[in-house]
Amino acid sequence: MRRESPGRLVVASAAKVNLFLEVLGRRPDGYHELETVFQEIALFDEIEVERVGGAEGEIDFACDLPGLAPPGRNLVERAARSFLDAARIREPVRIRLRKTIPAGSGLGGGSSNAAATLLALDRLFAARTPAARLEELAAALGSDCVFFLHGGSAIGRGRGERVEPLRDLPSREFLVIVPPVAVSTAEIYADLAARLKADSDLRTIPLDELRSEDPTLVRRSLHNRLETVAFARHPELRRAADAIRAAGIDHARLTGSGGALFAVFDARTGASAAAKTLDSASQQPSGRVFIAASVSRRP
Ligand code: C5P
């Protein structure tokens, strides 16, 4: 999914789901220590970067979805600024972002866009930035950005920025339901902080189940510590999860801090039948529905 001409590049920027997300505790810096399993999925935004020429200039950024962030604050612009500063490049660039991944849904769209922008600009200017430096820039932009530099399946530790690739998860297909609820990640973590002591039954990453070809094992091992607080703050999310369950899909989980919910299917059976079941259910969850396959790690 990469089109090129001299001085211009179009790259895809994928979404993720968290197959597992445990919160180990609150850190002195205000962030939370995590153990998570990221899975990149084939739901894509598109980012176009272009060299405009000239010696000195601005980042000309626009997005087809207005109101994502105030001017200068979109993660794409921030990523571009940090890359150009780090590489000491003053040439102006034009960047266009075309959104498909719903924002504020826990699907990692903003973080993915930031990572894709770093990689695209590195290539556009043939800068050959060392991987460790790109990871540093990505980590400063957001906790999930480092994961998206390589994608695929990976364990995330620390704030989520310490990434260890998982090479052997089977291909899967995901049904993703995005209720029309804007969720603030910071608010969900703040709610969780108040009840961390009460939750003492910490889980460890169920690697054997996640690696299993049997979808029932994977479904049983899905876990997201943020789900209870997200449901408590946004009753619409709980109602959507209940409606999905009532339609016969009994294992849907929240991704990240929400509000998207997802269900997992093996690649052969696929998620289409489940999507049809949902579509014909008497009590349908409101929101957008996507089917997306897992994506493998980039070399
Ligand atoms: O890193 P990012 O900007 O994506 O995080 C958004 C907010 O989510 C942070 O400001 C913080 O409040 C919360 N967060 C957290 N612990 C993490 C990741 C995020 O508390 N590991």
Side-chain angles (χ1 to χ4, degrees), residues 30-32 34 141-143 158-160 185-186 189:
Y31 280 88
H32 290 77
L34 303 183
L141 290 162
S143 305
R159 303 187 274 128
T185 301
Y189 275 106

Side-chain angles (χ1 to χ4, degrees), residues 117-289:
T117 301
L118 294 176
L119 293 171
L121 291 177
D122 187 59
R123 193 177 168 111
L124 188 72
F125 287 101
R128 296 184 202 288
T129 310
R133 182 72 179 124
L134 284 180
E135 286 180 11
E136 227 172 76
L137 298 179
L141 290 162
S143 305
D144 293 347
C145 286
V146 180
F147 162 70
F148 283 109
L149 290 175
H150 295 288
S153 319
I155 294 175
R157 295 199 170 86
R159 303 187 274 128
E161 91 290 8
R162 273 172 33 220
V163 175
E164 178 190 319
L166 277 175
R167 292 183 187 277
D168 46 0
L169 294 193
S171 300
R172 313 219 196 263
E173 212 170 79
F174 295 88
L175 180 67
V176 180
I177 301 108
V178 191
V181 182
V183 176
S184 151
T185 301
E187 279 177 10
I188 299 299
Y189 275 106
D191 287 357
L192 180 81
R195 47 179 295 159
L196 263 181
K197 286 212 173 63
D199 293 330
S200 53
D201 57 333
L202 293 184
R203 297 208 203 168
T204 52
I205 298 174
L207 271 182
D208 289 345
E209 287 82 352
L210 292 175
R211 286 188 176 125
S212 166
E213 297 283 346
D214 179 353
T216 54
L217 287 184
V218 180
R219 288 168 185 160
R220 244 185 274 151
S221 69
L222 298 176
H223 168 67
N224 186 337
R225 179 63 62 189
L226 301 176
E227 194 171 277
T228 311
V229 280
F231 282 2
R233 181 173 270 273
H234 301 285
E236 316 90 291
L237 290 183
R238 185 189 295 281
R239 281 198 289 277
D242 288 346
I244 295 165
R245 199 170 307 117
I249 303 161
D250 61 1
H251 70 280
R253 284 261 90 87
L254 199 72
T255 173
S257 55
L261 298 146
F262 71 95
V264 54
F265 300 86
D266 61 43
R268 206 168 36 83
T269 321
S272 319
K276 282 202 194 93
T277 311
L278 206 59
D279 199 38
S280 56
S282 52
Q283 181 208 356
Q284 278 178 29
S286 59
R288 299 166 69 188
V289 176

Side-chain angles (χ1 to χ4, degrees), residues 1 11-15 43-47 97-102 109-110 112-113:
M1 268 264 258
V11 296
S13 167
L43 175 63
F44 299 106
D45 290 340
E46 204 175 66
I47 301 174
L97 169 62
R98 291 183 276 275
K99 288 299 288 181
T100 301
I101 306 169
S112 169
N113 294 167

